[in-house]
Structure formats: structure tokens, C-alpha cells
Amino acid sequence: MKNIVILVSGSGTNLQRIIDSIESGDIQNAKVSLVVADRECYGLERAANHKIDNVLIPRGKNFSSELDKIIPQDTDLIVLAGFLSILKPEFCENWNGKIINIHPALLPKFGGKGMWGMNVHHAVIEAGEKESGATVHFVTSGIDEGEAILQKSFEVTENDTAETLAEKVHLVEYEIFPTAINKVLGN
Ligand code: GAR
């Protein structure tokens, strides 16, 4: 059984998708051993609803070192599911190849500092992009720079707004995240 730790900052619909995928058997041979949030958010409640251990470590310069103290050493995979803090380079190096993130755009486009959540969708609309999508990638010390694991795109239409893109991207995320996790776990 592989142990997954999930980091969240917000509503946690991707966290929910992962929990549901484990419960339904779509993600095999894995359990969520811990959910960590960097702020008060609904993601913590989702974890509690499923009796998953959950901890709040306030965001800030000590987040990575505090996480390091509590993360179980037998953790096989750390999943960033709508997590908005930047992990320290030493933490990323210690867990190299074992941290993955979901990003709401087609990396390497629309990644890097400041490119998160709705900011990404506004930037995609302003740039007049013909397509958008989501990317699951390994986390390294360079923001959104790690190797892509899975990516899926869709067409951006004339009527799309940042809000409709956010909805469409979420649907793509729910599709590719469990597949990417299975892939990384070797399932
Ligand atoms: C997701 O769209 C995820 O890609 C994005 O935040 C949203 C969280 O939604 N992550 C980032 O922007 C990280 N750079 P959720 O809380 O409903 O899963």
C-alpha cells in the first residue's frame, strides 16, 4: 500500500477527486495518509469528512521546515492539489521524484511566479489562446518547471471567459489527475 500526502490551499475539489478515485478503486494500492493545508480552507474539512488526518501549517517562510517535521518518512508520493505556497528548494530536493503538482494550463505556457488559479485563466483569455488545458508535472525547485507527466488540452472558444475556462480546466483535471497518480505509483 502506497502512502500519499496531499497539500491543499482551497476548496479541494481535486483532493475530493483523488479520495473518491481511491475509494472507487480507480487509483489502486494507495491511501491518503495525511492532508496538509497552508491556510484555513474547505480542503481540511473534506479530509476530516473521510477521517483522514489533517493538519494546518500556516503559510510563510517556515512552512517547508514544519512540513518536513511532520511528514511520515514512509510517504511514497506528495501531491499538490491546488496548493499555493512555494516549497523550499531543499524540501524539493529531499523528495525529488516524489512530489507532483497539477497546474491549470498547458505548461510551459502560463507557468511560474504569480501564475495560479484565476490569474492563469485571465492570462489565457488576454493572450487570445486557441487552447488551454491542465498539466500534471513533477515538482522541482524551479516554479512549474519539472517534467510533465500528463497533459490534456481543449479548445478555447470565442465565448469563453476566465470563469468558463476555470470550469473546463477543472473537468480536465479530474480526468488526468488519477491517471497521472497511477502512472507515478507504477500502477
Ligand atoms: C486547480 O485548478 C489547480 O490546478 C490550481 O488551483 C485549482 C484548485 O482547485 N492550482 C494552481 O493554480 C497551482 N499553481 P481545487 O481546490 O478545487 O482542487
Side-chain angles (χ1 to χ4, degrees), residues 53-102:
D53 284 349
N54 57 94
V55 179
L56 169 63
I57 301 175
R59 63 185 190 258
K61 63 178 174 31
N62 294 329
F63 182 88
S64 296
S65 53
E66 293 301 315
L67 176 60
D68 212 32
K69 284 181 199 160
I70 61 153
I71 196 164
Q73 280 310 305
D74 62 355
T75 298
D76 297 289
L77 187 62
I78 301 169
V79 176
L80 279 50
F83 179 67
L84 300 181
S85 288
I86 306 296
L87 295 167
K88 286 266 166 64
E90 310 84 73
F91 185 90
C92 296
E93 278 148 29
N94 282 346
W95 292 92
N96 184 32
K98 290 188 171 182
I99 317 176
I100 66 172
N101 177 48
I102 193 149

Side-chain angles (χ1 to χ4, degrees), residues 8-16 43 46 80-84 101-105 112 115-118 120-121 134-135 137 143-144 166 169-170 173-174 177:
V8 292
S9 300
S11 156
T13 63
N14 277 290
L15 164 68
Q16 189 68 54
R46 290 183 193 271
L80 279 50
F83 179 67
L84 300 181
N101 177 48
I102 193 149
H103 187 81
M115 279 294 155
W116 52 271
M118 291 306 293
V120 174
H121 308 307
T135 308
H137 65 98
I143 302 170
D144 298 327
V169 166
H170 265 111
E173 291 181 334
Y174 304 151
F177 219 175

Side-chain angles (χ1 to χ4, degrees), residues 133-176:
T135 308
V136 181
H137 65 98
F138 284 107
V139 172
T140 60
S141 53
I143 302 170
D144 298 327
E145 288 176 4
E147 185 196 338
I149 299 158
L150 213 55
Q151 188 167 66
K152 186 168 177 174
S153 63
F154 61 84
E155 193 189 336
V156 176
T157 66
E158 273 179 16
N159 297 331
D160 271 318
T161 61
E163 287 70 26
T164 63
L165 282 193
E167 282 173 29
K168 290 180 180 179
V169 166
H170 265 111
L171 293 180
V172 168
E173 291 181 334
Y174 304 151
E175 200 182 320
I176 67 171

